[in-house]
Amino acid sequence: MKTILDISILINFLCFGIVYGKNYNVLNFDAKGDGQTDDSEAFLQAWTAACGGDGDIKTLLIPSGKTFLLQPTVFQGPCKSSSIKVQLDGTIVAPSDKFAWSDPISRMWIKFSTVSGLIIVGSGTIDSRGSSFWELNLKASQRPTALHISKCDNLRINGITSIDSPKNHISIKTCNTVAISNINLFAPETSPNTDGIDISDSTNINIFDSTIQTGDDCIAINSGSSNINITGINCGPGHGISVGSLGAGGAEAKVSDVQVTHCTFNQTTNGARIKTWLGGQGYARNISFTDITLVNTKNPIIIDQHYIDKGRLTEESAVAISNVKFVDFRGTSSNKNAITLKCSETTHCVDVVMDGIDITMANGGKPKVNCQYVDGESSDTDLMRDCFKNNTSS
């Protein structure tokens, strides 16, 4: 099959001159762009040509003014060139509903794997048409991620829009050195598990200046991740920016060096959140949330170490949380219990700093703080000082 595909590409190149310089336009590989014809094979032919080209950066062009229907598709590396750019200016759509998918149990719709120097840029849109999956009330494991990127070091994503993913919009797994900026991720507030960006087993991740409005976490930072910088995110609706969940099923989890700054949580369920399962192991440390604006946020600050996994009711171990800072939070909360620090009796949350916390109730009044097993300090809030002094139980 691969030999036939390669011969087809060569014939097109020789007869029709479809490759102009370093650009590979999917229309020149017989993509129709009418939103009805399956263009998956044309995209793969264009990818094979671009990925197989030697030399400097090659560009896979998805032109504006066209709508391309794709079935679940894997864009596989490694590639010969030093970098591959996917210029997404048109619209990519998934099949109209779950039953029209060629692989209805696929866990990913569009996947890039083992492509060093991958660049995904443009003004285009990825429309996953996820509503049919939500309406069937399928488990998260039975719904696909819109854009899954694994083992792609030196990754850059800029400018694109993703709407209505069946599950999370973008998954970053086992990647090193990533920059994501000026993207838009949208799904209804009621859509289940539609995280904006999920990060796992990855390092040196920078996400900035983007808008994320979904039915779950705007950004979720999972185990194996370190040196994560998030700034300038407009989050909401959604479940905030979360570290975790960590330690499900007694697993060992490791997350460190996370900085979240200059973000806005607009009518989100949560704001800054750290969540771990009972019985987990490992650590979450060196985490800071600073310069945060709140607009009617239900739980502006929350640490929850009391997830219960598969009936586990005893706390034999816990993910150790340490060196966590919540600094310069301002705005309103819709919940009287605006701050919850519900930590593990086994490990406590250690070296927690709360400074510059200026949260008021959306309808007036002063919110409450609930603490449990927290060791920390606060220089400017009487309520927080009392919390740190008297938090062995709540």
Side-chain angles (χ1 to χ4, degrees):
M1 179 66 184
K2 184 177 186 300
T3 301
I4 295 173
L5 179 61
D6 289 344
I7 292 172
S8 173
I9 292 169
L10 178 60
I11 291 172
N12 284 332
F13 176 80
L14 294 175
C15 295
F16 303 105
I18 59 173
V19 180
Y20 302 99
K22 299 177 182 178
N23 292 331
Y24 300 79
N25 189 327
V26 296
L27 291 176
N28 293 326
F29 289 81
D30 293 330
K32 302 305 180 185
D34 57 11
Q36 302 295 322
T37 305
D38 181 3
D39 286 324
S40 305
E41 189 66 18
F43 270 59
L44 285 175
Q45 288 189 15
W47 174 260
T48 300
C51 185
D54 292 315
D56 296 330
I57 186 171
K58 300 293 186 294
T59 299
L60 177 70
L61 177 61
I62 304 167
S64 61
K66 295 288 185 177
T67 299
F68 301 93
L69 172 64
L70 292 188
Q71 291 285 350
T73 304
V74 178
F75 298 96
Q76 184 68 49
C79 298
K80 290 185 178 181
S81 62
S82 58
S83 181
I84 292 286
K85 179 168 75 171
V86 177
Q87 183 70 41
L88 174 58
D89 292 326
T91 298
I92 298 174
V93 296
S96 57
D97 61 62
K98 171 181 166 48
F99 302 103
W101 284 54
S102 60
D103 180 2
I105 62 172
S106 174
R107 297 178 62 186
M108 305 162 195
W109 175 33
I110 299 171
K111 178 180 179 179
F112 290 89
S113 179
T114 324
V115 184
S116 180
L118 176 64
I119 303 169
I120 303 175
V121 297
S123 58
T125 298
I126 298 172
D127 182 354
S128 304
R129 294 175 166 177
S131 60
S132 68
F133 290 86
W134 311 330
E135 292 164 0
L136 290 171
N137 294 318
L138 298 174
K139 296 179 181 179
S141 61
Q142 296 175 306
R143 289 180 273 122
T145 297
L147 178 60
H148 180 87
I149 301 175
S150 66
K151 300 179 182 178
C152 293
D153 295 343
N154 301 308
L155 166 70
R156 181 160 65 91
I157 303 175
N158 176 266
I160 67 171
T161 296
S162 173
I163 62 175
D164 293 346
S165 178
K167 194 171 62 171
N168 49 318
H169 286 255
I170 298 175
S171 175
I172 304 297
K173 183 175 177 59
T174 323
C175 297
N176 179 42
T177 309
V178 175
I180 300 175
S181 62
N182 300 111
I183 67 170
N184 300 289
L185 308 177
F186 301 126
E189 184 176 4
T190 55
S191 58
N193 310 111
T194 51
D195 291 4
I197 303 172
D198 282 359
I199 305 165
S200 59
D201 298 311
S202 297
T203 59
N204 302 316
I205 311 297
N206 292 278
I207 304 172
F208 53 96
D209 299 339
S210 296
T211 297
I212 305 175
Q213 301 174 359
T214 68
D216 211 308
D217 294 334
C218 290
I219 300 173
I221 303 160
N222 298 299
S223 183
S225 300
S226 63
N227 196 18
I228 312 296
N229 295 283
I230 299 167
T231 187
I233 303 301
N234 291 312
C235 170
H239 294 183
I241 295 177
S242 298
V243 175
S245 60
L246 305 176
E252 182 177 19
K254 297 180 180 180
V255 172
S256 65
D257 302 303
V258 176
Q259 297 84 39
V260 179
T261 185
H262 194 54
C263 293
T264 297
F265 297 115
N266 190 346
Q267 302 188 68
T268 52
T269 303
N270 306 297
R273 178 164 65 157
I274 302 173
K275 50 181 178 175
T276 71
W277 295 84
L278 281 174
Q281 302 178 65
Y283 58 77
R285 63 193 184 200
N286 304 334
I287 299 166
S288 67
F289 294 86
T290 63
D291 190 17
I292 303 298
T293 299
L294 308 167
V295 181
N296 204 25
T297 304
K298 185 176 181 181
N299 300 298
I301 298 173
I302 181 168
I303 298 177
D304 183 5
Q305 291 207 268
H306 289 75
Y307 274 35
I308 298 175
D309 185 19
K310 298 179 181 178
R312 185 191 298 270
L313 299 176
T314 60
E315 187 178 343
E316 300 169 356
S317 60
V319 176
I321 295 177
S322 64
N323 192 17
V324 178
K325 297 180 180 179
F326 302 97
V327 178
D328 293 335
F329 279 61
R330 58 195 172 275
T332 57
S333 174
S334 60
N335 183 12
K336 189 173 184 179
N337 297 315
I339 300 174
T340 299
L341 307 177
K342 191 176 181 182
C343 297
S344 163
E345 182 179 4
T346 301
T347 60
H348 288 212
C349 294
V350 179
D351 296 329
V352 177
V353 175
M354 306 277 290
D355 280 335
I357 308 300
D358 184 12
I359 302 173
T360 59
M361 295 290 295
N363 58 359
K366 188 175 182 179
K368 291 185 177 181
V369 179
N370 291 324
C371 294
Q372 183 175 351
Y373 304 114
V374 187
D375 302 329
E377 62 181 27
S378 177
S379 63
D380 60 356
T381 306
D382 289 340
L383 186 59
M384 290 310 305
R385 283 198 294 268
D386 292 340
C387 170
F388 289 140
K389 289 178 181 177
N390 303 288
N391 59 73
T392 56
S393 64
S394 64

